[in-house]
Amino acid sequence: MRLGPDIQISRASEIASNNKKVLSSIENLSKNLRAIRAILELSCEDLAKYIGTTKQTISNIERKSKMSNCQYIAIRKILKRRIKYCKLYRR
């Protein structure tokens, strides 16, 4: 089944919009990563160990506000787990 040109353009703009949202989310996390780590009492070394990278990579992400999609997903997972842990044990 072939899509008409209007549907193809609509789909392309939808994909572009989603990509902008993802890039914005990555940029926001990068800019705020140091503050988030401080609140969660998570060291740069610990975060690096949890996602399988180096302390220097985390430092570069925090300074340059750039990370790959895979790094973004891994960091989000670790932060989500840490937030759940803090909610459970800091009452």
Side-chain angles (χ1 to χ4, degrees), residues 3 5 7 11-12 17 31 49 61 67 69-70 72 79 89:
L3 301 175
I7 294 174
R11 181 73 180 132
S17 174
K31 287 180 181 178
K49 182 179 76 175
I61 289 170
M67 72 174 88
N69 290 347
C70 292
Y72 172 75
L79 294 178
Y89 295 104

Side-chain angles (χ1 to χ4, degrees), residues 62-77:
E62 291 175 346
R63 281 187 290 115
K64 298 177 184 175
S65 296
K66 292 184 180 182
M67 72 174 88
S68 71
N69 290 347
C70 292
Q71 290 170 330
Y72 172 75
I73 291 167
I75 290 171
R76 287 273 316 252
K77 280 184 176 180

Side-chain angles (χ1 to χ4, degrees), residues 34-50:
R34 183 173 286 145
I36 294 168
R37 282 192 311 99
I39 291 167
L40 297 176
E41 298 176 3
L42 186 63
S43 71
C44 196
E45 293 89 358
D46 288 340
L47 180 58
K49 182 179 76 175
Y50 293 148

Side-chain angles (χ1 to χ4, degrees), residues 20-34:
K20 286 180 186 177
K21 289 176 187 174
V22 169
L23 292 175
S24 177
S25 296
I26 290 172
E27 188 176 314
N28 286 337
L29 180 59
S30 296
K31 287 180 181 178
N32 297 307
L33 186 56
R34 183 173 286 145

